């Protein structure tokens, strides 16, 4: 596990019971992974956990950066869900986030490292 300072955009990959956590994309016309930029000296794992909490209110543990990094300098981090219910205060209300079944993510723009991970993922 790499504990180096993160750079660029970090995307959080939260999978729970065969579903992927997605948030509204930009103008709200589509869905995307929770993502954001790191704070100074923050690891990719810590960034992923923070942005999921800030956007959705769900507690997660950023456990594993996926390789390879995206050509745009983005890092995707697999996160383990720690709370089945979100706390108050996330940027998006619970009804604004989506737990998409894996088979429904085909049209979602995802980095190739995430697609590879999802193909090999066995629902918990």
């Amino acid at each position: 596990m790499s504990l180096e300072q993160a750079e660029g955009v970090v995307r959080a990959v939260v999978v729970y019971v065969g579903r992927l956590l997605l948030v509204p994309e930009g103008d709200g016309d589509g869905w995307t992974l929770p993502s954001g930029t790191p704070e100074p000296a923050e690891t990719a794992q810590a960034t992923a956990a923070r942005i999921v909490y800030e956007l959705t209110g769900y507690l997660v543990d950023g456990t594993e950066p996926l390789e390879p990094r995206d050509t745009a300098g983005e890092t995707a981090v697999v996160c383990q869900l720690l709370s089945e219910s979100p706390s108050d205060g996330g940027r998006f209300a619970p009804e604004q986030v989506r737990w998409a079944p894996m088979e429904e993510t085909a049209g979602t723009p995802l980095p190739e490292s995430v697609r590879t991970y999802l193909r090999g993922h066995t629902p918990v």
Side-chain angles (χ1 to χ4, degrees):
M1 177 185 338
S2 172
L3 293 177
E4 298 174 5
Q5 180 176 336
E7 296 177 357
V9 173
V10 175
R11 296 186 179 278
V13 181
V14 185
V15 177
Y16 184 68
V17 291
R19 297 175 298 152
L20 178 65
L21 179 64
L22 299 172
V23 296
E25 183 175 33
D27 56 11
D29 285 344
W31 297 94
T32 190
L33 296 171
S35 62
T37 55
E39 299 290 332
E42 193 173 51
T43 65
Q45 296 90 323
T47 301
R50 177 181 54 78
I51 61 175
V52 168
Y53 184 75
E54 287 176 357
L55 293 176
T56 69
Y58 284 103
L59 289 173
V60 300
D61 181 17
T63 58
E64 174 187 358
L66 295 175
E67 295 293 338
R69 284 179 53 140
D70 186 272
T71 55
E74 296 183 356
T75 302
V77 176
V78 174
C79 298
Q80 301 299 314
L81 185 67
L82 301 177
S83 61
E84 290 187 22
S85 299
S87 63
D88 293 336
R91 183 175 308 158
F92 300 111
E95 61 274 5
Q96 292 176 294
V97 302
R98 181 171 183 228
W99 285 98
M102 296 294 198
E103 59 274 7
E104 293 180 17
T105 62
T108 304
L110 300 172
E112 189 55 38
S113 61
V114 174
R115 290 238 176 260
T116 301
Y117 172 78
L118 294 178
R119 277 194 292 274
H121 181 74
T122 303
V124 179

